[in-house]
Amino acid sequence: MLSVVVLISGSGSNLLALLQATKNPLFPAKVLAVGSDKPAPGLEHADLYGVPTFVVEEKHFASRDSWAEKLGENISHLDPDLIILAGFMKVLPKSFVAKFSPRIINIHPALLPNFPGAHAVRDALTSGARETGATVHIVDEGVDTGPILAQEAVTVLPADDENTLHERIKLVEHKLLIDTVKFLASKQLEPSKVG
Ligand code: GRF
């Protein structure tokens, strides 16, 4: 059984998909806790599933490193096999990545290496791309640069705006995330060897 801590910043639809998957007794992962950098609406999903939550806000710390250290303390005492960034919108400092690597994965709403960064859906639309998608990758010290674990394409429709396209991408992300967690559980979590 893979033990997981999920970090979110927003609505938490990927978190909800994962929590729903864990209701199946055959699903090989358990969510130990959900953390956030703000009082994110998605934390309610964890509450409904009886999963503990924690919020560590950067504004209460003198530096990004001390914020990330506190965030890491909230995670390390749980000793999870895997940390999932599911819409966690802060870039984590090198010290945090070094502490938990390669056991951190991220979900990104584009076919990396295309459209990295915080506005991937908007950037895909602006570029006129006919296809974008979703990626799950191992987090390294860069922004959306780590080894790719899974990807799936999504067609951009002529009538799409940022919202409609993002919602279709999220449906793909939910499935991709669950499949990746199952895959990592089956490999006894050696993402550095499968990335
Ligand atoms: C997802 O599209 C994810 O790829 C991106 O942020 C979004 C989070 O959505 N990093 P949600 O909070 O899981 O609904």
Side-chain angles (χ1 to χ4, degrees):
M1 179 72 74
L2 204 64
S3 59
V4 174
V5 170
V6 183
L7 296 182
I8 65 167
S9 298
S11 65
S13 70
N14 279 284
L15 165 67
L16 181 59
L18 184 64
L19 290 169
Q20 284 168 343
T22 62
K23 279 192 344 194
N24 180 342
L26 296 178
F27 191 72
K30 177 182 172 16
V31 180
L32 300 177
V34 177
S36 183
D37 62 312
K38 58 169 94 154
L43 291 171
E44 285 178 13
H45 301 313
D47 293 340
L48 284 173
Y49 277 77
V51 173
T53 62
F54 56 89
V55 177
V56 185
E57 294 187 80
E58 192 176 349
K59 65 182 180 192
H60 298 311
F61 294 83
S63 69
R64 204 160 65 97
D65 279 331
S66 54
W67 162 74
E69 197 179 321
K70 185 69 182 173
L71 187 71
E73 281 171 16
N74 275 272
I75 297 169
S76 50
H77 81 93
L78 298 167
D79 195 23
D81 297 316
L82 183 67
I83 300 169
I84 300 175
L85 308 185
F88 188 68
M89 298 310 285
K90 294 255 183 211
V91 176
L92 290 161
K94 286 178 183 173
S95 53
F96 184 99
V97 175
K99 185 170 181 182
F100 295 105
S101 178
R103 292 170 180 269
I104 318 172
I105 63 171
N106 179 47
I107 314 161
H108 184 76
L111 289 178
L112 290 171
N114 295 334
F115 311 119
H119 304 292
V121 180
R122 190 187 310 168
D123 293 346
L125 274 174
T126 307
S127 79
R130 292 184 179 175
E131 188 180 77
T132 182
T135 301
V136 180
H137 67 94
I138 297 170
V139 172
D140 66 7
E141 288 179 357
V143 175
D144 303 323
T145 51
I148 290 168
L149 293 170
Q151 283 188 308
E152 193 172 319
V154 173
T155 302
V156 180
L157 302 177
D160 265 332
D161 58 25
E162 191 174 345
N163 188 47
T164 59
L165 180 56
H166 200 170
E167 285 308 311
R168 265 197 341 283
I169 292 172
K170 282 193 189 187
L171 294 179
V172 171
E173 288 181 340
H174 300 166
K175 183 178 167 297
L176 216 54
L177 173 62
I178 288 161
D179 288 350
T180 304
V181 168
K182 280 190 202 162
F183 173 70
L184 292 176
S186 77
K187 296 283 172 202
Q188 291 151 338
L189 193 67
E190 293 180 279
S192 57
K193 294 188 184 160
V194 295

